[in-house]
Amino acid sequence: MTAPGAEHPVLIVGTERSGSNLLRLILESHSRITVPHPPHFMRYLAPLAGSYGDLTQERNRARAVGDALGLLRRHIHPWPHPIRADRIIAEPAGPGLFGIVAAIYEQHRAATGKARWGCKSTFMVAHVADVLRVFPDARFVWLVRDPCDVASSAKRAVFGPSHPYRMARLWRAQQEKARAALDSWGPGVVHLLRYEDLVSRPEEEIGRLCDFLGEKPEPAMLRHHTSAAARQTAALADAWRRAGQPVSTDRIGAGRQGLSTRERLWVDKVTGPVKQSLGYPVDARAGTVRDPRPSAVALRSVSLRARIEYRSMRKDGNHRARLRRDVYVRWLRFRAWKRGGLRPPVRGPAPAARRGSL
């Protein structure tokens, strides 16, 4: 069942710290597409799905909608338009938890007056099949960046694992999911876009992206940094300050300065074949480096996280909002555990589908 009213949505998938905010703002600048900053509904709620019961039942749906809108109220990047819970509860948009998420995005889209909505939650790479059950014509943009540069950025970011070894493991797992989606549904559904290509040849890559989406490129997409959305994002957090700047290549190769030699080798060892398959060189010495001890990774992660939180407390306008959001997520997990429905998210590959059949 497809949610009414909207044309097929656009979802950015992959790994955070890969330029997804840049791509979000480029797409948001198109006159027909709106991409609000994501509260990561499926990331936080999918592990709790079993606690809601049958979502065709109004009482269960109301509980799930309440939890989702609780996330939205505590979002670290406020949405400009209110979302009405009663409309979602009374008129469910589609099956499962993503049907509720789709209805929330659809209300936002209708409020903006645009034709399509997009979602920047890169974690949706684990939920491609869920999306296609609701929107068979959905389009996915697989945004990928050199994992050394991703790990370098993550060492200073409040989002994701801060230790390069842990970040490398996450990057590999998420690219493998994205590759499985591309293999299952084909390039008509999943479009591979390298961050390095986007910032090196923005006009060309935006043109190719628009062709994939069936849209006409617009000059505003190359001026995304001048938009009100870009200024708002840049002002909220130090990690997002580049949102207010034009496209630049100066962050290509950031891992050469941001990671030590050993850290770069760890990343290459973990990501090796996947990294190479995506066109990134792998250091030949990576196979000789020893994996870090788990205790050393844990201690280093604590140290990095303490520095990150201190910097965020001093520089980020949404620091308190993020802490409130994190407390709320823990409360949701506790309530789900009390109801006996807490389950780990499904990690397996997406089921196969005929290429081009959607």
Side-chain angles (χ1 to χ4, degrees):
M1 182 162 91
T2 300
E7 296 185 29
H8 41 275
V10 184
L11 294 99
I12 301 169
V13 299
T15 301
E16 290 196 307
R17 313 312 302 163
S18 297
S20 57
N21 250 325
L22 168 64
L23 184 55
R24 177 183 80 84
L25 292 167
I26 288 172
L27 289 170
E28 173 72 22
S29 298
H30 195 283
S31 63
R32 285 174 38 84
I33 304 172
T34 179
V35 191
H37 194 278
H40 301 302
F41 294 116
M42 293 297 285
R43 179 192 183 190
Y44 295 123
L45 298 181
L48 318 182
S51 72
Y52 297 122
D54 181 0
L55 291 177
T56 64
Q57 301 297 313
E58 184 172 321
R59 179 180 177 183
N60 297 335
R61 194 162 62 250
R63 182 185 296 125
V65 170
D67 288 353
L69 295 186
L71 276 174
L72 186 57
R73 286 193 298 272
R74 294 163 179 82
H75 187 28
I76 58 178
H77 194 303
W79 283 19
H81 307 289
I83 303 297
R84 289 183 52 183
D86 58 332
R87 289 175 52 189
I88 303 171
I89 296 167
E91 301 177 12
L97 191 60
F98 183 73
I100 290 172
V101 174
I104 293 172
Y105 273 90
E106 169 61 12
Q107 279 197 39
H108 168 81
R109 181 207 65 79
T112 66
K114 293 191 176 184
R116 305 171 71 172
W117 58 262
C119 175
K120 187 207 81 88
S121 184
T122 56
F123 302 99
M124 292 303 296
V125 72
H127 302 285
V128 174
D130 296 316
V131 175
L132 291 172
R133 287 188 195 102
V134 180
F135 288 98
D137 293 324
R139 294 294 177 263
F140 299 85
V141 183
W142 173 14
L143 182 64
V144 65
R145 184 186 183 191
D146 186 317
C148 284
D149 294 352
V150 171
S152 174
S153 179
K155 283 180 73 174
R156 295 177 55 86
V158 296
F159 313 106
S162 51
H163 195 288
Y165 187 78
R166 289 181 173 174
M167 192 69 233
R169 291 171 65 88
L170 176 63
W171 184 92
R172 182 185 66 192
Q174 291 179 323
Q175 308 322 306
E176 287 173 345
K177 286 184 174 68
R179 173 65 70 184
L182 176 58
D183 290 344
S184 292
W185 284 286
V189 175
V190 181
H191 175 72
L192 175 58
L193 173 60
R194 297 194 342 153
Y195 166 82
E196 294 80 5
D197 297 335
L198 176 62
V199 298
S200 298
R201 303 184 299 274
E203 188 169 2
E204 177 184 338
E205 292 301 325
I206 290 172
R208 292 179 60 199
L209 175 60
C210 286
D211 285 345
F212 166 71
L213 297 176
E215 301 287 354
K216 293 181 179 179
E218 295 181 353
M221 301 175 81
L222 293 168
R223 301 193 301 269
H224 72 279
H225 58 288
T226 65
S227 68
R231 291 194 297 272
Q232 179 191 18
T233 299
L236 282 172
D238 185 58
W240 298 338
R241 69 186 186 281
R242 295 175 63 83
Q245 301 173 12
V247 173
S248 170
T249 60
D250 63 356
R251 298 306 296 165
I252 296 178
R256 289 192 293 270
Q257 290 77 41
L259 301 180
S260 68
T261 299
R262 183 177 295 273
E263 288 172 336
R264 290 197 301 273
L265 292 177
W266 281 337
V267 172
D268 276 10
K269 182 177 182 179
V270 170
T271 64
V274 179
K275 179 179 179 181
Q276 219 162 16
S277 74
L278 291 167
Y280 300 107
V282 174
D283 195 310
R285 299 170 296 169
T288 66
V289 68
R290 291 184 178 180
D291 291 338
R293 297 189 309 276
S295 58
V297 172
L299 287 172
R300 178 61 171 157
S301 296
V302 169
S303 173
L304 287 169
R305 178 53 56 181
R307 295 181 189 179
I308 288 168
E309 291 296 343
Y310 177 69
R311 186 184 307 114
S312 177
M313 184 174 60
R314 293 176 56 237
K315 295 187 175 183
D316 292 350
N318 59 2
H319 174 72
R320 290 185 179 180
R322 180 170 56 84
L323 295 181
R324 286 196 299 271
R325 189 272 315 274
D326 292 348
V327 169
Y328 179 69
V329 168
R330 284 168 173 76
W331 168 242
L332 292 180
R333 290 173 180 167
F334 174 75
R335 285 196 318 173
W337 174 77
K338 288 275 286 184
R339 292 196 298 265
L342 186 60
R343 296 288 185 273
V346 175
R347 298 297 184 188
R354 291 177 299 163
R355 278 183 200 269
S357 63
L358 301 176

